[in-house]
Amino acid sequence: MAVLNVTPDSFSDGGRYASTAAALDRAASIVAEGAAIIDVGGESTRPGAQPVGAGEEIARVVPVIEAIVARFEVAVSIDTSKPEVMAAAVGAGACIVNDVNALRAPGARDFTADAGVGVCLMHMRGEPRTMQDEPRYDDVVAEVGGFLGAQRGACLDAGIAPDAIVLDPGIGFGKRIEHNFALLRGIGSLAALGSPVLVGVSRKSFIGRVLGRAVDERLYGGLGLAALAVAGGARIVRTHDVAPTLDAIRMVDAVLQGE
Ligand code: PT1
């Protein structure tokens, strides 16, 4: 899964048309590098990020999604927690809803069930603006697993197909370094909940903290973690760096499959 941010901080000037054109150029590279899914996001969820209104988020993502599905044979996911944005994005051609809030907003589960789209349910403690303020867990793997199992059950009850659900421990979302480490060691127990597991570690601050690297120097650290995650049972890796990540995880897969 390749990251495609359509936020003003990623495309600072030139207005909507320029940012749509820039996003489409980026999408072309991502597809050429071999991504299976392009994850389009119009609101940042990184620590400390400020929320955006649904109208603005829709105006950012819809033109990009329409242009991608018109040009490329690739699945598009929409990275949002707002049911209005989910509906607009699916109307524009997205076939997966990637929700860092695990479809807990009123109407989100029913919408995705009716639309018949895939869903990624992620664990987050709190909300992006404040989630890194002193997060505490007694047993982070058990608590995240319990949450994801419960949200998965709620989705099944709402009529979402079992094979349409992916689970994500939410690396960096209300977690200290040791929590991220424990979750990466515990992917097997999340996979045992019965759905494929997705992991996003790409360029995140805990890599920077461990290695002493700036955000543009975290590729190799992220590749190590992507390989570890896949070896531990993860099935999808969310990344900014498609070609190197694919090589790393295809190699892990080749060894595990024995061919
Ligand atoms: C993720 C994810 C996501 N991550 C899913 N969607 C982000 N399913 C956005 C940092 O500590 O892991 N899974 N959508 C980006 N979020 C962050 C979080 C970015 C933490 C940076 C940090 O630097």
Side-chain angles (χ1 to χ4, degrees), residues 45-47 79 98 100 120 122 168 172-173 198 200 204-205 238:
T45 52
R46 63 185 54 249
D79 188 345
N98 171 31
V100 300
C120 177
M122 198 197 79
D168 182 340
F173 285 86
L198 182 155
K204 286 184 180 175
S205 55
R238 183 179 182 277

Side-chain angles (χ1 to χ4, degrees), residues 1 9 14-15 40 47 99 107 116 132 137 143 147 153-154 181 183 201 208 215 220 227 237 244 256:
M1 172 186 272
D9 33 307
V40 176
D99 184 1
Q132 289 307 109
Y137 302 83
E143 286 178 53
F147 172 85
F181 286 0
L183 288 166
V201 294
V215 65
Y220 303 146
V237 174
L256 295 179

Side-chain angles (χ1 to χ4, degrees), residues 86-169:
M86 296 174 189
V90 170
C95 62
I96 301 167
V97 170
N98 171 31
D99 184 1
V100 300
N101 202 36
L103 302 182
R104 285 178 293 171
R109 274 187 219 110
D110 287 340
F111 168 73
T112 54
D114 291 345
V117 293
V119 299
C120 177
L121 309 176
M122 198 197 79
H123 176 272
M124 169 169 58
R125 167 67 57 86
E127 55 176 85
R129 203 171 47 78
T130 53
M131 65 190 176
Q132 289 307 109
D133 301 348
E134 297 285 312
R136 277 175 211 286
Y137 302 83
D138 288 326
D139 179 341
V140 68
V141 177
E143 286 178 53
V144 168
F147 172 85
L148 293 176
Q151 297 309 315
R152 180 177 182 275
C155 285
L156 294 174
D157 290 345
I160 299 174
D163 65 356
I165 301 174
V166 168
L167 304 177
D168 182 340

Side-chain angles (χ1 to χ4, degrees), residues 174-259:
K175 281 108 186 172
R176 306 162 74 93
I177 292 182
E178 63 264 31
H179 301 139
N180 293 327
F181 286 0
L183 288 166
L184 287 165
R185 287 191 299 264
I187 286 170
S189 73
L190 300 180
L193 293 170
S195 291
V197 172
L198 182 155
V199 170
V201 294
S202 186
R203 301 183 185 175
K204 286 184 180 175
S205 55
F206 75 115
I207 300 173
R209 218 98 46 78
V210 172
L211 299 177
R213 303 277 188 243
V215 65
D216 60 346
E217 302 170 341
R218 297 177 189 164
L219 172 61
Y220 303 146
L223 293 176
L225 296 178
L228 177 77
V230 170
R235 294 281 303 278
I236 305 172
V237 174
R238 183 179 182 277
T239 182
H240 300 85
D241 303 291
V242 175
T245 301
L246 252 181
D247 270 8
I249 67 181
R250 284 178 61 202
M251 212 54 227
V252 172
D253 219 38
V255 172
L256 295 179
Q257 303 295 318
E259 55 195 37

